[in-house]
Every structure is written in C-alpha cells, then in structure tokens.
Amino acid sequence: MTTSDAGDAVRLLLVGAGLIGRAHAVRIAADATCRLVGIVDLAEAAAGVAAEVGAPRFVDLETAIAATRPEGVILATPNQLHEEGTLAVLAHRLPLLVEKPVAGDLAAARRMIAAAREAAVPVLVGHHRRHGSIVRGAQAIVGRGDIGTPVAVSGLTLFLKPDAYFDVAWRRRAGAGPILLNLVHDVDLIRAIVGEIVEVQAITSNLRRGFEVEDTAAVLVRFAGGALGTFVLSDTAAAPWSWEMTSGEAPVYPRQREHCFHIAGTRGALSLPDLTLWRYGDRAGWWEPLERVSLTPEPVDPLVEQVAHFRRVIRDGEAPRCSLLDGARTLAVIEAIARAGRDGGSVAVEAVD
C-alpha cells in the first residue's frame, strides 16, 4: 500500500522544501500512515522535491490549504518566517509541526504561543532528538533517580564545517553562527533530560575564520535544580565529539564510537549517546570501584518517530512532546548565551510561561 492509497492516512501539507523540508518529505512519502498532500515553496528547486515524492507543488499557502484540505501542516521554512507561517496555519485551526529554532527571536515565539492558546490548536516544535531512543532512554534513567540528583553536566559540540558551507552569504553574518544553528539542539537535549537552565555565562570567538559569526564558544550554565554545566562549541574543530558524529541517528555523518555528554549525580553518572551508567555498589566513595553498565539502545531515526508522534497529536490528541513553550524556553537560553558572549558577565535566562 502506498501513501496515496491509504484511506486512513493522515493528510499532511509541507511548507518549505529545503534541506530539512526534503528530509520530512521523503519520510512522509515512505510512511503508509501518512499522505503528503502538497509542498509549498516558491523556489524552483521545490519542483524537483515534489516530483521525487509524488506530491503537488504550490507557491501559496492559502491556495494549498484550500486545495489539499490537510489535517496537519509541517512548517520547514527559515526560522525568521516561522511566526508568519504559524499564524497563518493557526488561522485555519490546523495542528502544526514547526521546525527549530522555533522563531527568529523570543518576542516572535511569545506571539506564536499566544496565538496557539487562542486557537486551542496543538503545535509541536521540531526538536527531533527528543524522539530518539537515546534521549528518551536518558530521560528515563535520570527521571528514575538512577544517578541521584544531577550536580554537573558537560557537553561537547565540536565538528568541522567545510569551507564550501560558507559560500552562502547569510551563514557568515551575525546571528547565523553555531550557537543558534547547532548549540540550540544540545541545549534542548540537556533541558529535556536535566531541567531548566536559569543562568549563563559565555565567551565567544571568531578568530579562526574572521566572519561576523562566532566559530567557537565556551559556555557555563546553572540549572534550576542547582546543577552546573559547561558546553564547548566549535564548527572549526577537527574532532569526533558531537551528537551528529556519535549518536548514529543521522547516517549521513560517519559514526564515531565516542560520547559527547556527561551527566554526574549524587549516586551515579551517565554518558551520552552511549548511555553508559556508572554507579557504586554497596559502598560509595572514591576508593571504591565503580560499576559500569552499558544501556546503549539501538538508534532509531528520530525524524521518523517525530512524524509518527505528530500523527498521534493530530488523530489521538496526544500532547506534543516538545511544545511551543518548550521551544521558546530553549530559544531563551540561546538568546542569553548569545548576549553573554557579546556583552560578558552573567545573564539570567528570561522566563517564558
């Protein structure tokens, strides 16, 4: 059975046919429980994506909604356009999956939250790592108290973007650096496992490439529960320690058998993405041996899991795993990090309710 034959398949409209949009399109087309009823994108390249997955292409959202009668919409446009697109979709009372970062800035995210509440429509934010077996496993381990109370967290986001990546002009300009485009994923991942981040400090550098955007950052964070943490980020580092390189969730990246996150608690510690748990036996203390338990799950494609979850949000009323509020809180941390890197000092993360 193909998606076009599935009478009970959920009808999805995709807005944006760029890199992440195409990733959604091919997964929806391969899912018998979903039907991709159209793709909306002005760019001529979108015609090729539409032809690849056998969906009609539109250049106007209103026309597409009227013609296809979707049950849900996936918004995969640039983040600066997320507010406009979200408000347009919510006007039709349609459930929405909006890509990350949730918005161009926190003010826009707040307006999106208000509109979603007014419309009483569920909105899922595309922080796709939350849907993978690794993050869900870590949430269960920490949530059960297997490591006790988290006290310290460290994260490495180190990789090398090739020179050709910066041939696109906007990627060299302020606001398009790895803090917003890459670290946002890691901040959301850690928030989902450890809890809210309330205060940050940061130092940034653009010394290696000399572009407006940063290429390296060192970040300190304080969690609401009292834990302290660090993130070290660079997109000019020849290194294997990043989620993409170590998790196995995205086969396009050569997998390295390393880990890039550590969460230490009062009773044990956990490394990710390998999900290795370290704990003492009957006696605890630095003279005692630590027991090591490997809990490594089989990697799954989190984008596939996310689409399945979105279908349940639409059809079954399941609560979004990453809500607009969640996405906005992650963006608030990123904005605080960017400000701390620019102005120095300690920056309180703006509360979003």
Side-chain angles (χ1 to χ4, degrees):
M1 177 175 63
T2 66
T3 55
S4 59
D5 296 328
D8 194 42
V10 65
R11 299 169 60 85
L12 299 177
L13 178 67
L14 174 65
V15 185
L19 187 63
I20 188 62
R22 182 185 176 279
H24 284 301
V26 297
R27 286 164 174 81
I28 294 168
D31 186 342
T33 68
C34 299
R35 181 181 176 192
L36 186 60
V37 296
I39 294 176
V40 184
D41 199 310
L42 287 169
E44 287 302 317
V49 177
E52 178 185 359
V53 298
R57 176 205 172 203
F58 299 86
V59 296
D60 174 74
L61 177 60
E62 296 299 324
T63 301
I65 290 175
T68 64
R69 297 176 291 108
E71 297 174 71
V73 178
I74 298 177
L75 191 62
T77 56
N79 59 302
Q80 294 87 351
L81 302 178
H82 285 179
E83 179 186 6
E84 177 185 352
T86 295
L87 297 185
V89 172
L90 290 177
H92 291 273
R93 300 295 196 273
L94 289 171
L96 174 65
L97 191 169
V98 57
E99 269 302 331
K100 72 288 175 189
V102 64
D105 56 45
L106 193 54
R110 290 181 185 280
R111 292 190 290 269
M112 292 162 64
I113 291 169
R117 286 172 174 166
E118 176 68 21
V121 172
V123 180
L124 172 66
V125 178
H127 280 293
H128 62 283
R129 292 182 188 174
R130 292 189 181 219
H131 301 268
S133 56
I134 301 167
V135 171
R136 298 190 71 182
Q139 286 176 311
I141 291 166
V142 175
R144 287 194 304 263
D146 289 359
I147 68 168
T149 301
V151 295
V153 176
S154 70
L156 295 176
T157 306
L158 303 173
F159 47 81
L160 181 62
K161 290 177 180 173
D163 292 341
Y165 176 89
F166 297 97
D167 290 344
V168 181
W170 65 265
R171 290 173 174 168
R172 304 191 298 268
R173 294 174 184 155
I179 289 177
L180 178 63
L181 299 184
N182 303 107
L183 190 63
V184 66
H185 296 284
D186 298 310
V187 165
D188 187 77
L189 181 158
I190 288 297
R191 278 192 57 250
I193 298 169
V194 179
E196 296 302 331
I197 295 171
V198 296
E199 182 184 359
V200 305
Q201 299 178 46
I203 301 173
T204 62
S205 172
N206 64 348
L207 182 63
R208 292 302 97 197
R209 293 195 181 98
F211 297 150
E212 290 181 18
V213 296
E214 75 282 351
D215 54 49
T216 304
V219 182
L220 298 175
V221 303
R222 184 187 304 275
F223 291 85
L228 302 180
T230 65
F231 292 98
V232 179
L233 162 73
S234 181
D235 66 5
T236 187
W241 303 300
S242 67
W243 188 264
E244 287 79 6
M245 299 290 285
T246 60
S247 68
E249 290 182 341
V252 67
Y253 298 98
R255 190 177 185 186
Q256 310 298 322
R257 300 290 178 174
E258 295 284 340
H259 38 79
C260 56
F261 289 98
H262 301 91
I263 304 170
T266 53
R267 295 179 56 199
L270 182 68
S271 60
L272 281 78
D274 59 320
L275 285 191
T276 297
L277 178 64
W278 297 85
R279 295 188 65 182
Y280 287 110
D282 295 334
R283 300 173 61 182
W286 61 8
W287 288 294
E288 305 299 330
L290 280 161
E291 298 175 354
R292 173 178 178 170
V293 180
S294 179
L295 304 169
T296 305
E298 188 66 29
V300 298
D301 186 335
L303 288 173
V304 170
E305 297 299 315
Q306 183 177 246
V307 169
H309 170 62
F310 188 41
R311 185 185 190 280
R312 295 192 299 272
V313 169
I314 295 169
R315 288 283 181 87
D316 304 331
E318 189 169 306
R321 190 166 292 150
C322 185
S323 66
L324 268 179
L325 188 62
D326 261 325
R329 286 173 174 169
T330 291
L331 183 60
V333 177
I334 292 298
E335 288 196 354
I337 291 170
R339 178 182 165 192
R342 182 183 64 247
D343 301 338
S346 177
V347 176
V349 176
E350 192 172 339
V352 185
D353 298 305

